[in-house]
Amino acid sequence: MANSSSFKTFSKTLIRSFSSKTSHHNNHQTTHKYLDPNSFLGSWKSPAHPKEAERKLAQLRRDYAKQVKDVRKEYIHEMELLRLEKLRKEEARKEAIRVANEERKRLKAEAAKVRAQERMIAEEEFRKTLLKERAEKLENWRMKQKLHENKKKEANELLRRRSSIWIEEHELEKKLLEVMMYVHD
């Protein structure tokens, strides 16, 4: 049982090692840039006197400390540049977001203005339509009133004309007799 689990882990690692995808470590090994060879390596020649050896060793240590100090300064400088670049990018991103927000607010305000203008135009058209309809209704009512008055006038005129042919009472009997005679003949 223990052999089968170890076989599984071994096979998984074997499969991983043969996969076509390179790992970060492998990628780093192929892209890594090595420093130039150091002049200190292999430069030590054993002096004859121990005092001379101590002096040379102290000089090597001072030179090494100086080089380490220079490398650290360079590293600190690079890190500061990276920090400044990151800060600049962050500021640029914030500025872009701010500009985009302002643009969006401006577009939103313009859209609100357009909608307000459209609403005002629609209200004005509605008001004009209402006024036009009211004017038409008023004109229609006036025409009906005039027509009614004209009919009344015509009726009165007809009545007045007919009343001019009316017969007076004292002549009514005479006319009736004439009509009766005329009908009998």
Side-chain angles (χ1 to χ4, degrees):
M1 194 72 166
N3 285 339
S4 67
S5 65
S6 63
F7 178 73
K8 284 181 184 178
T9 55
F10 174 71
S11 63
K12 284 181 184 178
T13 53
L14 192 61
I15 290 171
R16 277 191 213 128
S17 66
F18 286 124
S19 69
S20 61
K21 188 177 179 183
T22 59
S23 68
H24 170 71
H25 181 70
N26 289 342
N27 188 31
H28 178 70
Q29 282 181 343
T30 57
T31 59
H32 182 71
K33 294 179 184 171
Y34 292 97
L35 295 175
D36 293 331
N38 196 325
S39 60
F40 292 129
L41 298 177
S43 67
W44 182 261
K45 305 273 191 276
S46 295
H49 300 290
K51 293 268 185 192
E52 176 81 18
E54 279 184 29
R55 190 181 57 73
K56 277 187 171 184
L57 186 59
Q59 183 64 39
L60 280 176
R61 286 184 178 144
R62 279 194 299 272
D63 290 343
Y64 178 75
K66 186 178 176 185
Q67 283 185 350
V68 167
K69 185 179 175 184
D70 290 342
V71 168
R72 284 184 178 153
K73 278 184 187 178
E74 186 180 329
Y75 175 78
I76 290 170
H77 180 68
E78 286 177 7
M79 288 296 109
E80 184 65 20
L81 289 177
L82 285 174
R83 187 187 67 78
L84 290 174
E85 180 68 18
K86 187 176 178 182
L87 190 65
R88 186 191 59 77
K89 284 181 182 178
E90 182 65 23
E91 288 296 321
R93 186 184 70 80
K94 284 180 182 178
E95 181 65 20
I97 289 171
R98 186 189 62 77
V99 168
N101 284 342
E102 285 178 0
E103 180 68 17
R104 192 174 68 242
K105 285 178 184 177
R106 186 185 62 77
L107 290 174
K108 201 173 181 181
E110 285 179 8
K113 281 183 185 177
V114 168
R115 282 194 307 271
Q117 287 175 346
E118 288 173 353
R119 190 171 50 248
M120 285 176 57
I121 290 170
E123 286 174 0
E124 183 65 26
E125 287 177 2
F126 181 69
R127 191 178 61 77
K128 285 180 181 177
T129 305
L130 278 179
L131 289 175
K132 185 179 175 184
E133 286 179 1
R134 286 179 184 168
E136 287 173 358
K137 285 181 180 179
L138 183 62
E139 187 63 31
N140 190 15
W141 179 79
R142 284 182 181 159
M143 282 177 38
K144 285 181 181 177
Q145 287 294 97
K146 267 188 181 176
L147 191 63
H148 185 63
E149 287 174 13
N150 286 343
K151 282 184 180 180
K152 247 184 174 180
K153 282 181 184 177
E154 285 177 14
N156 285 343
E157 183 65 29
L158 184 62
L159 186 62
R160 192 178 56 75
R161 272 192 256 137
R162 281 188 185 164
S163 66
S164 67
I165 18 181
W166 280 357
I167 306 166
E168 298 292 327
E169 276 188 48
H170 62 279
E171 291 183 17
L172 182 63
E173 281 182 35
K174 191 164 60 163
K175 285 280 185 189
L176 278 174
L177 282 173
E178 283 176 13
V179 170
M180 282 191 196
M181 284 186 182
Y182 178 72
V183 172
H184 284 298
D185 288 335

